[in-house]
Amino acid sequence: MAKLAVNVDHVATLREARRINEPDPVTAAALAELAGAEGIVVHLREDRRHIKERDVYILRKTVKTNLNLEMAAAEEIIKIALDVKPDISTLVPERREELTTEGGLDVAGQQEKIAEVVKRLQDGGIKVSLFIDPDPHQIKAAKEVGADMIELHTGRYADARGEEQERELARLLEAVKYAHEMGLVVKAGHGLNYVNIHPLAKVKEIYEFSIGHSIVARAVLVGFERAVREMVEILRLYERG
Ligand code: PXP
């Protein structure tokens, strides 16, 4: 069964709507783990729009599974990562005006810089994942810069409909196969929900899914534990030895 890593950024988004101390993403992370999540993901953005340093430092102490820090390859954040020492750092592109991470990291176009950041983080004892589009050039570059794993961007698949969605799915499946054959651990995420996860949950080479918005959205209505458990149950439908 693929693992589920839950991104709790949007619990912090709700907190920041009032700039007070609730709801707490740290509490949500604990509930997610109790409900079967095997990883907790937070994105410490340069503009600190949701997750703050305080969250990351407390989560480092409280998360019992894996803490995955999503981050831009920016000096300030690299220093924080090397101090916090999450289990995994996921390098993502970041633009201040975007609503969420919009595209994959261009590893092929800045191979030297990314290789250096990957090495610094790995030397600090952190495994490095690169968030990339399902594109063979980017996958090859991710392997060349020494990443431990990749996370394939599923956003285009999630946003597409009908035949276009079928094409995006086929593209993702090819990318998964190619990366897996290259020896990379393959994860996937962005825009996944309780409906569009099904075709991907069947794919045995996908090690883990990283899901945030749809789980937090459901949690507002049914509770955090139930929302996480319902996603874990979907993944369990496709249990694969
Ligand atoms: N993976 C990465 C690298 C992301 O940046 C995000 C969004 O923060 C996600 C997964 C989760 O996406 P969503 O919130 O759409 O489930």
Side-chain angles (χ1 to χ4, degrees):
M1 176 187 141
K3 295 178 192 295
L4 173 65
V6 175
N7 180 317
V8 294
D9 289 352
H10 293 316
V11 177
T13 301
L14 191 54
R15 175 187 64 190
E16 295 310 312
R18 281 290 170 92
R19 301 216 169 83
I20 52 173
N21 63 2
E22 65 179 5
D24 194 331
V26 174
T27 312
L31 292 172
E33 288 189 313
L34 288 175
E38 294 185 76
I40 299 298
V41 189
V42 286
H43 185 176
L44 184 67
R45 296 184 74 101
E46 291 182 86
D47 63 10
R48 309 294 197 271
R49 71 169 73 147
H50 38 50
I51 292 295
K52 315 280 185 209
E53 272 96 324
R54 170 260 182 214
D55 304 322
V56 181
Y57 279 92
I58 298 178
L59 285 167
R60 175 62 296 180
K61 294 204 175 85
T62 59
V63 167
K64 291 165 189 65
T65 56
N66 284 295
L67 178 63
N68 182 341
L69 180 65
E70 278 184 26
M71 52 183 274
E75 191 54 35
E76 183 216 358
I77 309 285
I78 294 168
K79 288 203 175 106
I80 294 172
L82 288 169
D83 189 43
V84 172
K85 295 197 187 295
D87 299 287
I88 302 163
S89 276
T90 299
L91 297 181
V92 300
E94 200 175 295
R95 284 192 298 118
R96 276 174 195 267
E97 64 276 22
E98 69 191 359
L99 281 179
T100 177
T101 313
E102 283 168 2
L105 186 69
D106 180 15
V107 183
Q110 43 179 345
Q111 223 162 304
E112 237 174 79
K113 179 188 167 190
I114 301 294
E116 190 198 311
V117 176
V118 168
K119 181 159 189 321
R120 277 177 75 192
L121 292 166
Q122 287 173 337
D123 286 349
I126 304 167
K127 285 200 160 55
V128 182
S129 180
L130 302 178
F131 182 55
I132 56 175
D133 288 328
D135 168 348
H137 292 109
Q138 298 295 346
I139 295 168
K140 187 164 171 281
K143 178 73 181 173
E144 283 169 7
V145 299
D148 297 287
M149 48 191 106
I150 58 168
E151 180 180 334
L152 293 174
H153 194 320
T154 52
R156 285 175 69 159
Y157 159 72
D159 290 343
R161 293 291 171 269
E163 279 181 21
E164 196 196 335
Q165 190 166 45
E166 290 301 315
R167 277 197 297 278
E168 289 299 335
L169 178 62
R171 195 167 159 236
L172 269 170
L173 299 185
E174 267 186 39
V176 170
K177 191 161 171 270
Y178 179 63
H180 184 74
E181 280 169 7
M182 235 178 224
L184 287 160
V185 171
V186 186
K187 307 193 288 182
H190 211 285
L192 297 176
N193 61 35
Y194 296 78
V195 177
N196 65 23
I197 188 75
H198 285 267
L200 290 174
K202 291 177 189 161
V203 183
K204 67 176 188 326
E205 292 88 358
I206 301 180
Y207 175 77
E208 182 180 84
F209 293 100
S210 176
I211 306 181
H213 186 268
S214 66
I215 289 178
V216 176
R218 184 171 288 218
V220 169
L221 303 175
V222 305
F224 219 88
E225 283 190 73
R226 181 167 149 192
V228 172
R229 214 178 319 113
E230 286 175 357
M231 187 59 86
V232 170
E233 278 162 14
I234 293 177
L235 298 182
R236 202 164 279 149
L237 289 176
Y238 303 99
E239 206 133 17
R240 324 158 260 192

